[in-house]
Amino acid sequence: MRVVIAEDSTLLREGLARLLAEEGHEVVASVGDGQGLLSATGAYRPDVIVTDIRMPPTHTDEGLRAALEIRERWPEVGVLVLSQYVEKRYATELITGEHGRVGYLLKDRVTQVGEFLDALERVGAGGAAFDPEVVRRLLARTSHTDPLGKLTEREQDVLALMAQGHTNAGVAGRLYVSQSAVEKHVNAIFDKLGLAHTTGFSRRVLAVLRYLGS
């Protein structure tokens, strides 16, 4: 298979590239950030990308956002995400996407070479591969209702700032995004929390109360 690797740790990136090459795969590009991943995917159209979630410049979710964009723009490309931790929201977002060809493994699983290569093959063949620990955590989440769990990380950030009393303009300033972007996040929060327009009640207040009561 033709593979693009995105990992900011040079040591791990080179190790993965060497491992895949020794197993007969062609590593067409290896990059260290999300933007590089998007560029390499557009240029080489690999069968699979292998990407870390947290990469420069903020080390938050650059790899995930790049992976989700790749799934949208090039659905024929498989996406195998590696993460140091079980990122529930990220895993859920990947699992509930419209396209297959997706996997989510903890980085520790890479040292179990057979399992890692098996996951890569399955994703490349159009299937799915999820770390057992990831599945266990996701199933644990379904055992209780958690409306806040439906929110993306950015929506959680917006709601947290709302709870601190910031206006949409204030939230936009602190997150370095446009006010219209904040308004979209706020509307998404209302929808996901099931807060319909109700005369006499402020949806903003109700959303904050849900947050504070979580």
Side-chain angles (χ1 to χ4, degrees), residues 28-83:
V28 295
S30 57
V31 300
D33 57 55
Q35 188 55 53
L37 173 58
L38 287 172
S39 299
T41 302
Y44 295 103
R45 302 294 181 89
D47 298 304
V48 179
I49 64 157
V50 178
T51 181
D52 189 9
I53 285 180
R54 300 180 178 183
M55 289 193 288
T58 67
H59 295 279
T60 54
D61 59 357
E62 284 83 354
L64 175 75
R65 285 189 281 112
L68 293 174
E69 184 172 341
I70 288 167
R71 296 193 71 200
E72 182 67 27
R73 294 173 63 181
W74 303 291
E76 73 280 8
V77 176
V79 171
L80 179 58
V81 172
L82 302 178
S83 179

Side-chain angles (χ1 to χ4, degrees), residues 8 22 62 64 67 75 83 90 100 113 125 148 158 165 168 195:
D8 62 316
E22 289 178 348
E62 284 83 354
L64 175 75
S83 179
Y90 298 156
V113 176
L148 294 174
V158 170
N168 285 357
L195 299 173

